[in-house]
Amino acid sequence: MSRILKNKELENTRLATNYGGWIYCDKCNENIGYLCYSTYDKLILKYKCNCGNQGSALLDFQDSNIGKGCQDGLIVIKNRFCCPKDNEPLITILDKKVARYEIEITCKSCESIYKKRKDYNKK
């Protein structure tokens, strides 16, 4: 079932499809990750690609729930960041392709808002 986007703001970034699939840096065309189509309600992504490009994405839908903050962290299953409540995959970031990233993603099924940040330049 297709969802109707409410907000789609991409900066120096493109997606393989309208609201999911492979995530690409617009400067070097490298694949930096993968966004699962049907498991998220809202995504805020900011990153710095290894090529130096800084990109971002904001996506949410007309039927998105507001979401609720939580202290839980995303779990990793087969290189995918997944919801710890139902193990549903949400997003993959290819560590070798980015210098840093920040993710805020809302799980569609449990409505929890998960945050993840990584800076590979800091030890």
Side-chain angles (χ1 to χ4, degrees):
M1 177 174 84
S2 182
R3 299 179 76 191
I4 299 170
L5 282 166
K6 179 170 66 174
N7 294 300
K8 181 179 182 180
E9 299 172 16
L10 302 176
E11 184 177 331
N12 299 320
T13 304
R14 66 183 168 82
L15 296 172
T17 64
N18 193 29
Y19 54 83
W22 295 109
I23 307 166
Y24 296 93
C25 168
D26 255 356
K27 183 177 179 185
C28 67
N29 289 317
E30 282 288 333
N31 173 359
I32 61 135
Y34 185 85
L35 179 60
C36 299
Y37 296 90
S38 60
T39 56
Y40 78 96
D41 253 353
K42 182 176 184 177
L43 169 72
I44 300 171
L45 168 68
K46 296 177 184 177
Y47 68 92
K48 181 176 182 182
C49 182
N50 286 338
C51 74
N53 183 50
Q54 295 196 48
S56 64
L58 165 64
L59 298 159
D60 68 348
F61 304 92
Q62 287 184 355
D63 63 348
S64 290
N65 292 307
I66 293 173
K68 54 188 176 275
C70 72
Q71 298 300 314
D72 298 336
L74 293 163
I75 60 171
V76 178
I77 301 173
K78 296 182 181 177
N79 295 335
R80 299 177 185 129
F81 290 120
C82 301
C83 174
K85 293 180 176 83
D86 60 13
N87 294 344
E88 286 291 331
L90 297 168
I91 191 169
T92 301
I93 299 294
L94 300 174
D95 295 346
K96 295 178 182 178
K97 305 289 180 95
V98 296
R100 69 175 175 261
Y101 65 85
E102 293 179 45
I103 302 167
E104 186 174 308
I105 192 162
T106 305
C107 177
K108 186 175 183 218
S109 65
C110 74
E111 300 178 11
S112 294
I113 301 169
Y114 298 102
K115 296 180 182 183
K116 176 82 175 156
R117 165 185 267 169
K118 186 78 174 190
D119 189 339
Y120 296 99
N121 295 322
K122 293 182 178 177
K123 298 292 179 194

